[in-house]
Amino acid sequence: MDARLEGSREQVTGIDDLPVRDELRGKSPYGAPQLDVPVRLNTNENPYPLPEPLVERITERVRAAARDLNRYPDRDAVELRTQLAKYLTGASGYEVGLANVWAANGSNEVIQQLLQTFGGPGRTAIGFEPSYSMHALIARGTGTGWISGPRNEDFTIDVEVAAQAIASQKPDVVFITTPNNPTGNAVPPGTVLALYEAAQAAKPSMVVVDEAYIEFSHGDSLLPLLEGRPNLVVSRTMSKAFGAAGLRLGYLAAHPAVVDAVQLVRLPYHLSAVTQATALAALEHTDTLLKYVEQLKAERDRLVSELRAIGFEVVESDANFVQFGLFDGPGGSHAAWQKILDRGVLVRDNGIPGWLRVSAGTPEENDAFLDAVRDLQCLVGDTPTPPKEQST
Ligand SMILES: Cc1ncc(COP(=O)(O)O)c(C=O)c1O
């Protein structure tokens, strides 16, 4: 090895010794713990493995796709987007077509493409926090300034305060997560409409409604709000309701001009032929997969009522997870998180003082979780733990 290279290598001891962008210095990557414990209820995954007939169908479709892997995949994912549009139309009653739908590797990539298109250096995005932490992280990664918008203490959004924040800060992109992660509560359609109007009056800016958990909601999708609102985007994922987090397939519905605009930043052939084939197989089994959603909704409602019966405060949930607290005592919510983990159950500490989040699992997993929290010596109280960087 060249002695000069050897020397320079020794001087680099970490990221901050590299010429990384200033806004990345001292930051941590997204990192929900992936621990090997019996019950994992920390990343809002669907606990049910894909049913065997679907596994067979994926195998068939992927085998067919494999024969053509010498060729690049369909760059526009036409068949997949057509099927996603059919699913959305059937589920919401609001008609969307191929031209309204775009797909990428997880809704995180959809969000990244939206920020590359409508955010970027010299521009800003706002989200109402606590909310999905990747909105802020992807903003940072795309050089978009991040504005932490306000939420009430009960985690609802005060329309007037939020609209005022939009009016004064004039962000280029507004994120509204409904149902919200990590709190679980849905945002009323009237609030979304009011914030859309505020965003148009202020700039106009793009409003991204993140509906990653909408299939678990007691209420309806906000897709019909797309009518006559070209600056509105609804983003979705197959990671939760379709039980396909490992597939990495997210999508959006919007005015066709938005779909055209994201083509400016997407990498050519970003969605592999294997991904497209797998997603198409999963969509063929939509009805079966959505039956699991019904079971999970019932289990989510059971978690809410049993946690309340134990004495916890619980945020009303329209998602496949529940935020519960309040923990005080030494170490607060983090100490409670550790005690639950010691019982073999992994839940999520999002760094929201006093609160933890649990994903709805199978009935057996939920029983194990409920047994663990019943035994907790941590008390229901209101002394918050010190805040730390949030990671939802
Ligand atoms: C609100 C929200 N949006 C988007 C995502 C990203 O989902 P994916 O990239 O798996 O589609 C998540 C994942 O947890 C989420 O909670």
Side-chain angles (χ1 to χ4, degrees):
M1 153 106 41
D2 183 317
R4 284 165 307 168
L5 281 180
E6 198 64 83
S8 62
R9 183 181 278 183
E10 273 162 21
Q11 281 156 23
V12 174
T13 55
I15 292 176
D16 288 344
D17 299 315
L18 298 171
V20 293
R21 287 160 43 198
D22 289 344
E23 62 268 36
L24 300 181
R25 289 190 179 279
K27 302 294 185 196
S28 326
Y30 174 88
Q34 288 193 307
L35 304 180
D36 191 13
V37 293
V39 180
R40 282 185 290 167
L41 300 175
N42 69 326
T43 52
N44 302 339
E45 291 157 331
N46 190 315
Y48 294 105
L50 297 182
E52 208 42 41
L54 171 52
V55 172
E56 287 301 317
R57 186 64 184 132
I58 290 173
T59 311
E60 269 171 35
R61 274 203 176 254
V62 169
R63 188 180 297 115
R67 290 194 192 99
D68 290 330
L69 283 182
N70 57 315
R71 301 288 177 193
Y72 283 113
D74 175 4
R75 200 174 41 213
D76 298 328
V78 169
E79 189 186 358
L80 176 59
R81 286 164 55 211
T82 304
Q83 293 309 320
L84 287 167
K86 275 192 192 152
Y87 164 64
L88 288 178
T89 303
S92 71
Y94 177 71
E95 188 152 352
V96 290
L98 167 68
N100 300 104
V101 173
W102 180 244
N105 294 282
S107 53
N108 282 335
E109 191 181 43
V110 169
I111 291 161
Q112 184 176 50
Q113 292 179 346
L114 288 168
L115 283 170
Q116 286 173 325
T117 309
F118 300 106
R123 292 187 163 213
T124 58
I126 191 171
F128 301 95
E129 296 186 316
S131 190
Y132 182 46
S133 63
M134 283 307 297
H135 295 157
L137 286 179
I138 299 171
R140 191 160 73 206
T142 57
T144 313
W146 180 252
I147 301 163
S148 179
R151 226 172 239 273
N152 294 325
E153 241 175 61
D154 65 0
F155 305 115
T156 56
I157 294 178
D158 182 314
V159 190
E160 277 175 28
V161 176
Q164 184 50 42
I166 291 172
S168 61
Q169 308 262 17
K170 302 194 186 336
D172 298 276
V173 180
V174 176
F175 284 103
I176 304 172
T177 309
T178 181
N180 189 44
N181 179 15
T183 55
N185 53 320
V187 182
T191 301
V192 175
L193 278 177
L195 298 187
Y196 182 85
E197 293 310 325
Q200 302 321 299
K203 196 94 189 192
S205 40
M206 296 304 292
V207 175
V208 180
V209 176
D210 186 336
E211 283 197 342
Y213 299 97
I214 194 65
E215 285 93 342
F216 300 98
S217 178
H218 297 100
D220 294 329
S221 165
L222 297 183
L223 273 170
L225 299 188
L226 291 177
E227 189 63 40
R229 294 186 184 84
N231 292 350
L232 191 67
V233 181
V234 176
S235 87
R236 294 285 201 103
T237 180
M238 293 182 78
S239 294
K240 315 292 177 180
F242 282 83
L247 163 62
R248 309 308 300 130
L249 200 290
Y251 53 105
L252 64 75
H255 189 281
V258 175
V259 175
D260 289 345
V262 294
Q263 315 286 319
L264 300 172
V265 300
R266 61 109 173 87
L267 294 175
Y269 316 109
H270 68 297
L271 213 49
S272 85
V274 172
T275 300
Q276 294 186 40
T278 310
L280 280 163
L283 282 162
E284 286 176 21
H285 287 247
T286 299
D287 291 348
T288 316
L289 294 172
L290 293 189
K291 282 192 194 121
Y292 293 120
V293 169
E294 289 311 310
Q295 289 178 35
L296 286 166
K297 284 167 76 172
E299 280 298 302
R300 178 265 325 272
D301 291 341
R302 178 168 81 94
L303 283 173
V304 170
S305 54
E306 295 213 18
L307 282 165
R308 282 190 178 141
I310 296 169
F312 288 106
E313 272 195 45
V314 179
V315 181
E316 214 55 68
S317 176
D318 272 289
N320 66 339
F321 54 84
V322 175
Q323 180 166 269
F324 65 105
L326 286 159
F327 295 99
D328 69 0
S333 38
H334 195 71
W337 176 86
Q338 184 62 56
K339 282 186 187 159
I340 299 169
L341 181 59
D342 293 343
R343 296 282 306 261
V345 181
L346 180 59
V347 297
R348 192 70 187 272
D349 177 5
N350 293 113
I352 301 175
W355 296 89
L356 293 174
R357 187 193 72 192
V358 60
S359 311
T362 62
E364 298 71 32
E365 288 173 332
N366 297 334
D367 285 343
F369 160 73
L370 287 165
D371 286 346
V373 290
R374 265 187 211 102
D375 290 352
L376 270 183
Q377 291 307 303
C378 289
L379 328 154
V380 180
D382 59 4
T383 314
T385 46
K388 60 183 182 199
E389 191 170 350
Q390 283 171 21
S391 168
T392 49

